[in-house]
Amino acid sequence: MTTGFTQHRTALAEGRYLRVVNYHNTPESMAPQLREELAAYAESFAGVTIADLDRFYATGVWPLDRPGFIPVFYEGYRNNHTVAAPICDALGLTAWFPIITRFVDCPPADQRAFADAHNIDLVEEELSSDRLALTWDEVAEIAERHIVVPHTGSHEQITNIRTPADIDRELITPRRKIQEVTGQEAPATVYLYGTPFGTHPLQDQAVLNAGYRYQISNTMLQRIA
């Protein structure tokens, strides 16, 4: 079904839309600001679960009484567990956590070098910490209340994922690992730089073959299967 401007305008006027806000590093010094910002969103928007999205795409009926809101916390920083998830828990918000699985796999002593080599931004106040990334136990704990998905294995951009080995490392193994650790489905993936589905046929097919149902981009949360 093609949705034109009139349909979009009507949906916005009726509150049938989804606001997705992307965050990256959220250190302890940012906790008061983050809490205030998320609390403001929680007053005007309804938290959205994966079941809500699946129901909408299956029926075409928006299942909530307000516009939806999804906070997304990227990379797999340790402060996902110490700052972002607890604030979302307190506010009753379901967040999405796209994590770089090889960052989590990386020994703590090597995490800064891995971050520097893979476009993972760090903040000064955390550089002296004994660990920068989540542990897999923390990933499992976050997944009890939130949605954890891969942000590829290595924080890779779509054009660098071409060979079967690339696809396995960046798309297939990360999904399998997250599902094994959390006991939950990892329904979505997202590339470095947020490339949308529908622009690279080879990689699009690899995403579908890996079993993903959603793809997050800079401007969309796409239902792809």
Side-chain angles (χ1 to χ4, degrees):
M1 181 179 70
T2 301
T3 302
F5 176 75
T6 299
Q7 290 93 332
H8 280 295
R9 183 173 60 185
T10 300
L12 288 170
E14 294 176 353
R16 293 183 290 108
Y17 65 91
L18 177 65
R19 181 158 191 173
V20 179
V21 178
N22 294 334
Y23 297 91
H24 288 80
N25 214 331
T26 56
E28 188 65 41
S29 65
M30 290 182 58
Q33 176 185 341
L34 180 64
R35 186 177 294 106
E36 180 180 2
E37 184 171 314
L38 291 175
Y41 281 123
E43 288 181 0
S44 301
F45 294 85
V48 178
T49 67
I50 191 68
D52 293 327
L53 289 178
D54 287 342
R55 191 177 306 115
F56 170 70
Y57 279 104
T59 67
V61 177
W62 185 243
L64 305 170
D65 60 356
R66 291 182 292 166
F69 172 61
I70 298 177
V72 184
F73 297 92
Y74 283 90
E75 323 298 42
Y77 296 110
R78 182 181 188 175
N79 55 51
N80 285 176
H81 182 261
T82 58
V83 176
I87 291 174
C88 290
D89 289 340
L91 295 171
L93 292 170
T94 299
W96 288 42
F97 291 87
I99 66 169
I100 303 161
T101 54
R102 293 182 66 207
F103 187 34
V104 178
D105 280 334
C106 195
D110 299 329
Q111 287 173 359
R112 182 172 181 180
F114 184 92
D116 290 342
H118 292 87
N119 295 293
I120 301 172
D121 292 333
L122 303 175
V123 292
E124 187 68 31
E125 71 183 80
E126 295 190 337
L127 294 182
S128 61
S129 300
D130 62 339
R131 175 166 54 86
L132 299 170
L134 293 165
T135 67
W136 284 109
D137 285 344
E138 290 169 344
V139 171
E141 186 176 336
I142 288 172
E144 292 174 4
R145 270 273 299 120
H146 304 281
I147 299 166
V148 179
V149 301
H151 191 10
T152 70
S154 310
H155 208 209
E156 191 58 87
Q157 59 183 311
I158 193 170
T159 53
N160 290 340
I161 302 173
R162 296 184 294 268
T163 69
D166 296 336
I167 291 167
D168 183 77
R169 182 184 64 250
E170 304 299 335
L171 296 174
I172 297 173
T173 295
R175 184 172 191 260
R176 182 171 61 243
K177 176 70 173 184
I178 287 174
Q179 293 184 157
E180 288 174 353
V181 167
T182 66
Q184 306 288 336
E185 182 196 13
T189 190
V190 54
Y191 295 104
L192 174 64
Y193 307 134
T195 304
F197 188 87
T199 58
H200 292 76
L202 184 151
Q203 292 87 343
D204 289 347
Q205 190 59 54
V207 167
L208 292 172
N209 291 346
Y212 294 106
R213 294 185 290 120
Y214 292 91
Q215 186 163 314
I216 305 169
S217 74
N218 287 336
T219 60
M220 293 177 282
L221 174 58
Q222 296 172 277
R223 181 71 162 90
I224 61 173

